[in-house]
Amino acid sequence: MITNDKRIRIIIGHYGSGKSEFSMNYVTKLRELVDTKVAISDLDVVNVYFRTREKRDFLQSKNILPIDSSVQATSLDLPAVSAQVTGPITDKTYNYVVDVGGDDVGARVIGRFSHLIEEDDYDMFCIVNANRENTQTAQDVIKHIKSIEYTSKLKVTGLISNTHLVRETTIDDILKGQSLVKEVSNLTNIPIKYITCLQSLIPQLPKDIEGEIFPIKLYMREDWM
């Protein structure tokens, strides 16, 4: 259950891994399950596409505080981060989701605030999509994790298997991703936390699959995408 995760949830992953989509699904589900204040930060100052900040109005309608660039213009790619970012880190009345940029450059942003994050108050989850060019082998994924950890000064505490082809995803894609994530977990001792899956594919998943099944809605893609 996501309510068992630490209060601050930091989501990392390579470009195109589905990080922002997972973050949107996670924070909306979290909002349904907790009575506290909920916030999400979009700290992706690297990739201009599929950012959670594009859903500001939707998030506000759900009583979720969206925090993003200090420049309120979705078409501008400016490396500006609002001072609001630190508020929910230190204010423990918040449950907080942080969507971090796709590589060690993006991780530098959260690294700026790492001194404010208490060790027992955060989880950092790594999204793994085996269909992405730079995360198709366990060695590539581990290299990515180590790079993010070094730059952010924080530790990855869980893996999220998120191998997909958007609406064309099959059960074979999910099982391929699960095999990769299991290998990474065995080599690093980082547990598999979630397996994402479109609702329609859940009945096809093995009953003994490792990790918690996390149904995904496509918030970040319009119907034509």
Side-chain angles (χ1 to χ4, degrees):
M1 279 290 289
I2 64 177
T3 52
N4 294 331
D5 296 337
K6 300 289 180 61
R7 185 183 67 83
I8 300 170
R9 291 86 158 177
I10 301 165
I11 313 299
I12 67 165
H14 243 301
Y15 302 122
S17 62
K19 177 175 52 62
S20 291
E21 189 72 85
F22 177 82
S23 297
M24 279 291 298
N25 276 267
Y26 190 104
V27 78
T28 52
K29 187 65 175 178
L30 183 63
R31 174 70 286 170
E32 296 171 4
L33 297 175
V34 299
D35 295 327
T36 65
K37 293 181 286 187
V38 174
I40 181 170
S41 284
D42 181 349
L43 298 190
D44 192 343
V45 296
V46 178
N47 180 18
V48 299
Y49 301 107
F50 303 118
R51 288 172 162 177
T52 51
R53 72 186 63 173
E54 297 171 4
K55 299 297 180 180
R56 166 176 284 274
D57 292 343
F58 170 79
L59 291 165
Q60 289 176 330
S61 75
K62 296 288 187 181
N63 196 27
I64 298 167
L65 174 64
I67 302 169
D68 52 60
S69 169
S70 57
V71 180
Q72 295 302 314
T74 57
S75 62
L76 296 180
D77 183 27
L78 300 177
V81 178
S82 169
Q84 279 187 290
V85 167
T86 60
I89 293 177
T90 56
D91 183 348
K92 296 191 177 184
T93 64
Y94 275 95
N95 270 276
Y96 198 18
V97 177
V98 184
D99 180 3
V100 177
D103 63 3
D104 58 341
V105 175
R108 286 188 196 132
V109 180
I110 192 65
R112 287 167 51 188
F113 310 114
S114 61
H115 65 287
L116 299 174
I117 301 173
E118 298 175 7
E119 184 176 351
D120 62 352
D121 204 26
Y122 82 92
D123 277 306
M124 186 157 73
F125 297 139
C126 181
I127 302 275
V128 180
N129 183 346
N131 286 332
R132 299 305 298 171
E133 181 179 359
N134 294 316
T135 52
Q136 293 183 351
T137 70
Q139 290 71 30
D140 286 342
V141 175
I142 293 168
K143 180 180 178 182
H144 176 65
I145 287 172
K146 288 182 177 178
S147 175
I148 296 292
E149 288 182 331
Y150 177 79
T151 305
S152 69
K153 307 179 186 70
L154 300 167
K155 288 291 184 182
V156 170
T157 61
L159 302 171
I160 298 172
S161 181
N162 191 49
T163 295
H164 66 88
L165 292 171
V166 196
R167 293 180 178 86
E168 303 303 316
T169 304
T170 68
I171 196 68
D172 289 337
D173 292 311
I174 296 171
L175 295 179
K176 178 178 77 172
Q178 186 68 3
S179 176
L180 172 61
V181 170
K182 192 167 185 178
E183 184 180 358
V184 173
S185 179
N186 289 338
L187 291 170
T188 62
N189 292 319
I190 300 173
I192 301 172
K193 189 67 183 179
Y194 299 111
I195 306 101
T196 68
C197 188
L198 293 172
Q199 189 75 44
S200 60
L201 294 177
I202 289 177
Q204 299 180 50
L205 290 174
K207 299 300 181 186
D208 60 349
I209 196 165
E210 186 176 347
E212 181 179 340
I213 298 169
F214 195 105
I216 286 285
K217 297 179 181 179
L218 299 179
Y219 288 110
M220 301 304 295
R221 290 177 180 266
E222 306 299 335
D223 289 342
W224 55 268
M225 300 176 82

